[in-house]
Each structure stands twice: as structure tokens, then as C-alpha cells.
């Protein structure tokens, strides 16, 4: 196994993001947690605080993956297929800044790859842009690319939530 690489994505509700990534990438994901990133730094952060919308945090899926089994480019492509990156601070019925679409980069290479992929979705790659535009009615991708900061893990009941609660709410699906 190659040295694990860290990635962090915000695609609305974190337990749906976790569920979809784990199902799709199976053994490529080495470690994972859901939690919060992108807001003010405090000693602790809780779901109750974040859902008020005053902390600036997004719900994130934070994980390490084996780059010999998948690439960051593959992770990006899947991230954009499994949520709506055209709606500000919203995924279906989940509304608030904590549900924004964001990529938290850990390296300059991740930042560049994310920015390049967003440019492709927004027209720099005709084939990809066409599929994206059909899926989202021609709307532009508005995913933010943010430097990774402090990660606050969510409480244990939200870790692997949809595995523990298979009939739980999930707004995610494969769009294109």
C-alpha cells in the first residue's frame, strides 16, 4: 500500500457523503470520519452549534485513501457526480451554510486539481460540461475550494450513520 493521502469533501449532509464514498471506493479508503471544517476555530465544536449556521463550518467527510487504489482525480469526479454543486448552501431539503459544496484541499496539488475540474464542469471540457449542464439545467458549479483547517469530528452516533440506520434520510444520488 502506498502512503495514505488525506482528502476532505463537503457535499451537504455528511452521512450521505460518507455512505456514497464508502460504497463507491470500498477498500481504497483507509480511515474516515464525518465532522466539521471551514469555520471559526474553537476548542470543541458540536453538531448543535454548526446547524445554527453561525460557526461557518461545513459538514465534511474527512478521510485517507490509498493512492495506489484510486486517484484524487477519481475522487473529484465522483464528488461532483453524487451531489448538486450548483445550489448555494443547500442539498435538497438540507438548507444552511453547513450544507455547502466545498473541497478542502490539503496540498497545492489538490487545490489545482479541484480548480481545474470545476473549470471543466463550467465549460473548459465540452463533454464533461455537457453532461453536467444536462444534469443541473445549465447551472454553473459553485463549489468553493478552501484550504483545509482544523477538523472537528462529529459525535459517534453520526459516524457510519447510514450503516447503523439503513432507512435514514439521504439527499445524495448519482446525477450524471
Amino acid at each position: 500500500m502506498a502512503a495514505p493521502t488525506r482528502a476532505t469533501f463537503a457535499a451537504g449532509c455528511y452521512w450521505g457523503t460518507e455512505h456514497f464514498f464508502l460504497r463507491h471506493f470500498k477498500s481504497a479508503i483507509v480511515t474516515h470520519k464525518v465532522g466539521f471544517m471551514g469555520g471559526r476555530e474553537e476548542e470543541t465544536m458540536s453538531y448543535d452549534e454548526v446547524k445554527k449556521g453561525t460557526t461557518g463550518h461545513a459538514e465534511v467527510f474527512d478521510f485517507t485513501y490509498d493512492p495506489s487504489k484510486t486517484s484524487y482525480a477519481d475522487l473529484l469526479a465522483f464528488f461532483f457526480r453524487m451531489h448538486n454543486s450548483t445550489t448555494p448552501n443547500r442539498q435538497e431539503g438540507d438548507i444552511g451554510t453547513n450544507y455547502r459544496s466545498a473541497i478542502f484541499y490539503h496540498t497545492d496539488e489538490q487545490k489545482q486539481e479541484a480548480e481545474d475540474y470545476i473549470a471543466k464542469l463550467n465549460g473548459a471540457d465540452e463533454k464533461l460540461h455537457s453532461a453536467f449542464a444536462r444534469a443541473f439545467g445549465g447551472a454553473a458549479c459553485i463549489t468553493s475550494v478552501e484550504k483545509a483547517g482544523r477538523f472537528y469530528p462529529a459525535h459517534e452516533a453520526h459516524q457510519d450513520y447510514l450503516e447503523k440506520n439503513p432507512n435514514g434520510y439521504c439527499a445524495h444520488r448519482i446525477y450524471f
Side-chain angles (χ1 to χ4, degrees), residues 73-96:
D74 289 340
L75 297 171
L76 285 171
F78 185 73
F79 167 75
F80 285 109
R81 289 182 59 225
M82 54 77 61
H83 83 291
N84 184 344
S85 61
T86 70
T87 55
N89 303 323
R90 180 181 193 151
Q91 289 299 310
E92 293 193 14
D94 295 328
I95 301 169

Side-chain angles (χ1 to χ4, degrees), residues 122-136:
N122 286 333
D125 179 295
E126 187 176 322
K127 184 177 177 183
L128 187 57
H129 173 68
S130 178
F132 184 78
R134 277 192 312 275
F136 299 111

Side-chain angles (χ1 to χ4, degrees), residues 6 14 32-37 42-50 57-62 149-159:
R6 187 173 177 194
Y14 50 32
H32 69 279
K33 289 248 183 231
V34 296
F36 317 103
M37 188 179 284
E42 303 281 340
E43 281 301 309
T44 62
M45 191 58 56
S46 73
Y47 178 74
D48 289 333
E49 290 175 277
V50 171
H57 288 90
E59 293 189 17
V60 300
F61 178 52
D62 184 72
R150 183 172 177 181
F151 172 73
Y152 298 87
H155 53 86
E156 190 55 40
H158 282 189
Q159 305 299 330

